[in-house]
Amino acid sequence: MRNAIKLFLPFVLLQIACSEKNGPQQTASSPAVALKVISLKKQDITTYRTYATTIEGKQNVEIWPKVSGFIEGIYVEEGQQVKKGQLLFKLETQSLSQDANAAKALVNIAQVEVDKLVPLVDKGIISMVQLETAKAKLMQTQSTYESIVANINYSRITSPVDGYLGAIPYKVGTLVSFNMSEPMSVVSDISEVRAYFSLNEKELLAIRQRLAAEGKQITLENAPEVDLIMINGETYPHKGKITMVNNIINSTTGSVMIRADFKNPENLLSTGSTGEIKIPSISKDIFVIPQTATIDMQGNKMVYIVDKDNKVTGTPIKIDSQTNDAYLVRSGIAAGTTIVIEGVSKLKDGQIIDPVH
């Protein structure tokens, strides 16, 4: 009996050693793993790209005084909605009024002088030169008077547009002038707003290439409508239209500035608001491959193709673009190809699976 065991033991050890060397093998008795698969077909899909944006009103007009003076009255409140022509501020004009009265008196004197000389010229008593000199003096005094009156009118500062008033940094009694460092306020017209955002050079080139493939160029006419994602994550209820594309690339930032305009009837948006512009892009005749169907292999994305014998083979794919959960592939793989879409991280080339459609 001991001799039999001695003869059998080396055989068993040899089998164990061979088994450890070759590793576990899939045998005919091992069940194939059931994995979900899909058959690829080309389709059209709309994807979206988002870009950070800042909002400005249709007009943001700074309010500056045209003349120097002390603020005598402020007739509005910060943040108030104002109408074009509405009185905002009034400057003290007492000294200007006195100057105007004096200038008016000089006008009257000059007018009397002209009226006195006219009949004398008609009778040939004096020359026309004297009358022309008197008329010139009248025009000079009239111009001085009108300039002072204009300055008095400038002391009434009104809103140049409809909109909302910004901060008022100056109070009653403050001396203001046209060369101040800060305006008296800003009126923002937000009936329509402008959303500014930028594309980098690579993104701009990709858009141009895609349009070129369709025989088009970047123009405002073929620009798609865009959405605005507000700061609270909600989509703004009104679509926007791209109205400006600056095709000159900024050498410092490597980007181009783009503007989209939005109607703002509910006044939901204000100057200084932030959000994201969401731009649609339609990809035609393209494969949509779930990201769960791919693995990374030396910097490349790969999928496992299933052949007619249910054997899988890893194949690299060339990605055109992507969505949140899928890759878009235009070439390098054929329509009707079956790929595995789950459990791919554990697959090996040549492995047999049980495909679940």
Side-chain angles (χ1 to χ4, degrees):
M1 183 67 178
R2 288 182 177 177
N3 291 335
I5 292 175
K6 289 180 180 179
L7 291 173
F8 182 70
L9 184 58
F11 176 77
V12 172
L13 293 175
L14 178 62
Q15 291 296 317
I16 293 174
C18 290
S19 176
E20 289 178 348
K21 180 179 180 181
N22 295 328
Q25 300 292 319
Q26 185 174 5
T27 65
S29 60
S30 300
V33 179
L35 296 174
K36 288 184 178 180
V37 299
I38 59 171
S39 181
L40 296 179
K41 61 180 180 179
K42 288 190 174 182
Q43 57 185 288
D44 298 342
I45 183 173
T46 300
T47 58
Y48 297 88
R49 287 187 177 273
T50 57
Y51 303 90
T53 184
T54 55
I55 306 295
E56 291 187 9
K58 181 180 179 181
Q59 292 188 83
N60 295 306
V61 184
E62 294 182 340
I63 307 300
W64 295 87
K66 293 184 177 180
V67 294
S68 300
F70 293 95
I71 299 177
E72 184 177 86
I74 299 177
Y75 302 93
V76 286
E77 297 290 340
E78 295 176 333
Q80 179 180 332
Q81 184 176 12
V82 297
K83 296 292 184 181
K84 181 178 180 179
Q86 182 176 339
L87 181 62
L88 306 179
F89 308 96
K90 188 177 184 304
L91 305 184
E92 180 272 322
T93 60
Q94 183 177 354
S95 59
L96 286 176
S97 298
Q98 293 173 351
D99 292 342
N101 292 334
K104 182 62 175 175
L106 294 176
V107 171
N108 293 336
I109 293 172
Q111 183 66 59
V112 169
E113 182 68 15
V114 170
D115 293 343
K116 181 179 71 174
L117 296 179
V118 169
L120 296 179
V121 171
D122 294 341
K123 294 177 182 180
I125 299 175
I126 63 172
S127 68
M128 181 62 72
V129 174
Q130 288 178 277
L131 178 59
E132 292 300 323
T133 301
K135 286 183 177 180
K137 186 175 182 180
L138 173 62
M139 293 178 61
Q140 182 180 10
T141 56
Q142 185 70 36
S143 175
T144 301
Y145 171 71
E146 291 175 354
S147 177
I148 296 173
V149 171
N151 286 339
I152 292 175
N153 292 334
Y154 291 151
S155 69
R156 292 174 54 85
I157 301 172
T158 60
S159 177
V161 294
D162 294 345
Y164 287 84
L165 196 69
I168 303 175
Y170 304 102
K171 307 306 178 186
V172 172
T174 304
L175 177 63
V176 295
S177 64
F178 56 85
N179 58 1
M180 300 183 303
S181 61
E182 188 176 9
M184 298 181 72
S185 191
V186 176
V187 177
S188 180
D189 179 1
I190 58 172
S191 59
E192 184 177 305
V193 296
R194 296 173 172 178
Y196 291 89
F197 61 102
S198 60
L199 297 181
N200 62 44
E201 186 176 359
K202 184 177 180 181
E203 291 169 327
L204 179 63
L205 179 60
I207 292 174
R208 284 175 171 168
Q209 288 176 328
R210 186 176 70 249
L211 290 176
E214 301 173 3
K216 300 178 182 178
Q217 295 182 347
I218 294 179
T219 64
L220 299 181
E221 288 73 21
N222 61 27
E225 288 187 321
V226 299
D227 288 315
L228 172 65
I229 309 301
M230 298 184 292
I231 191 65
N232 61 359
E234 296 179 5
T235 300
Y236 183 64
H238 304 284
K239 294 280 188 179
K241 179 68 176 177
I242 294 177
T243 54
M244 185 275 289
V245 177
N246 185 352
N247 285 300
I248 300 176
I249 298 174
N250 186 307
S251 58
T252 302
T253 63
S255 62
V256 296
M257 183 64 67
I258 299 178
R259 191 188 86 209
D261 291 354
F262 294 82
K263 298 294 183 182
N264 191 30
E266 298 89 3
N267 292 332
L268 292 179
L269 304 174
S270 302
T271 296
S273 295
T274 59
E276 290 184 329
I277 293 293
K278 186 177 177 182
I279 301 181
S281 175
I282 300 176
S283 299
K284 296 186 176 183
D285 296 325
I286 202 162
F287 296 117
V288 181
I289 297 178
Q291 293 185 11
T292 57
T294 65
I295 59 171
D296 290 312
M297 186 68 70
Q298 297 180 345
N300 296 316
K301 293 291 183 183
M302 297 186 63
V303 295
Y304 279 99
I305 294 176
V306 184
D307 66 12
K308 60 183 179 60
D309 298 321
N310 295 335
K311 183 186 296 184
V312 299
T313 304
T315 301
I317 58 175
K318 183 179 180 181
I319 297 170
D320 278 25
S321 59
Q322 68 183 78
T323 66
N324 290 335
D325 56 6
Y327 294 116
L328 307 185
V329 177
R330 191 174 300 279
S331 58
I333 199 166
T337 300
T338 300
I339 64 170
V340 184
I341 61 171
E342 68 173 4
V344 293
S345 62
K346 298 179 180 179
L347 289 179
K348 303 293 183 183
D349 277 358
Q351 185 174 340
I352 304 297
I353 68 166
D354 178 14
V356 179
H357 292 272

